[in-house]
Amino acid sequence: MTGHSLMKVLTIAATGILTATTTWVAAADITGPDVASWQHPGGGGINWFAVRAAGHQFAMLKATEGLDYVNPYFVSDSLAMRVAGVARGTYHFARPNLPPEPQAALYATVVLGQNGLLDLPAVLDLEDSAGLPPDALIDWTHRYLNTVQALTGRRPIIYTYPRFWQTAMADTNQFTSYPLWIADYRGNDQPEVPGGWPTWTFWQTTSSGDIPGIGGAVDINVYSGAQGDFGGYANIPFSGSGRGSS
């Protein structure tokens, strides 16, 4: 890349970040999709500028799964999100039949940290018990989260859905210190919150959303404000308000 081209990319990125920052301060609803390779039908790309222009301030991006899967679009989406000014959350899809520490290490290696500009904390996507009984799955989850927090320096987010937590995790309340991203598509005013959590941080409200710039149906999520100012939580510069907890 030439010096001129690099300067152009940096200028575009800075403009996107500053534009996003102005909108975040005034936004009443902080929303965003979560995406994986499924949102690249036929190998097509996502237009992250269109996503941002439609009012979505963040996106959750699948990074890894188990011990040997890396989303082939992770790097390109990460870079394009940065340039467009879309805050990036990244998640690992848990395979509890495999040891947690190497999975955490794979995830942390691929995402190269979650402490940069426009970065949300790491997410553990927990929706498959792999046949483990609750006590073993609870232990697996503690070990994974402890490892990821040590590697990224931020307290991770847990993604799950109510029925899974109530059954596979025996509705344990051992994880209430972690932010909760809950999937609940029943159309209620608030999602069902399992496991003794006092509140939710992100709510996946639908799996059939329609967002400009993304081909096909996509999950849509909303931020509750539980971790404080979104600008602080997502490491957005010049947000003009206090940092949320991490």
Side-chain angles (χ1 to χ4, degrees):
M1 181 180 291
T2 66
H4 176 73
S5 298
L6 177 59
M7 183 60 69
K8 183 177 180 180
V9 169
L10 292 175
T11 300
I12 293 172
T15 301
I17 291 170
L18 289 173
T19 300
T21 298
T22 301
T23 306
W24 263 304
V25 172
D29 296 315
I30 309 296
T31 61
D34 57 274
V35 302
S37 60
W38 302 109
Q39 279 68 49
H40 293 267
I46 293 174
N47 183 339
W48 288 105
F49 283 98
V51 173
R52 187 67 190 89
H56 299 286
Q57 300 94 325
F58 70 89
M60 302 296 196
L61 176 60
K62 182 174 183 177
T64 51
E65 178 177 331
L67 286 173
D68 58 5
Y69 177 81
V70 176
N71 176 3
Y73 302 98
F74 180 79
V75 173
S76 59
D77 276 336
S78 290
L79 293 173
M81 290 166 69
R82 286 268 197 274
V83 174
V86 176
R88 183 191 72 151
T90 66
Y91 67 90
H92 175 79
F93 189 95
R95 291 298 184 190
N97 58 313
L98 301 169
E101 291 85 1
Q103 292 189 59
L106 171 65
Y107 164 83
T109 299
V110 168
V111 301
L112 295 176
Q114 288 292 132
N115 278 313
L117 297 180
L118 296 171
D119 269 340
L120 289 161
V123 177
L124 172 63
D125 181 343
L126 188 60
E127 53 183 295
D128 177 13
S129 71
L132 294 185
D135 58 345
L137 187 57
I138 289 168
D139 177 69
W140 189 100
T141 303
H142 276 302
R143 289 164 58 194
Y144 180 92
L145 294 170
N146 288 339
T147 304
V148 160
Q149 184 164 348
L151 292 172
T152 65
R154 302 182 75 181
R155 182 167 292 273
I157 298 165
I158 296 174
Y159 169 91
T160 193
Y161 57 94
R163 184 64 179 161
F164 179 86
W165 198 268
Q166 291 158 356
T167 56
M169 295 289 280
D171 209 28
T172 178
N173 62 2
Q174 295 181 33
F175 298 90
T176 56
S177 65
Y178 295 93
L180 174 65
W181 175 15
I182 192 71
D184 188 341
Y185 308 153
R186 291 174 292 181
N188 297 326
D189 291 338
Q190 291 289 324
E192 182 179 358
V193 177
W197 267 285
T199 189
W200 53 275
T201 293
F202 292 98
W203 175 15
Q204 189 178 83
T205 60
T206 181
S207 61
S208 56
D210 182 16
I211 293 180
I214 300 178
V218 65
D219 302 335
I220 297 180
N221 308 273
V222 62
Y223 174 66
S224 70
Q227 306 303 315
D229 167 61
F230 188 78
Y233 197 45
N235 286 338
I236 302 165
F238 319 118
S239 63
S241 52
R243 293 183 67 85
S245 62
S246 61

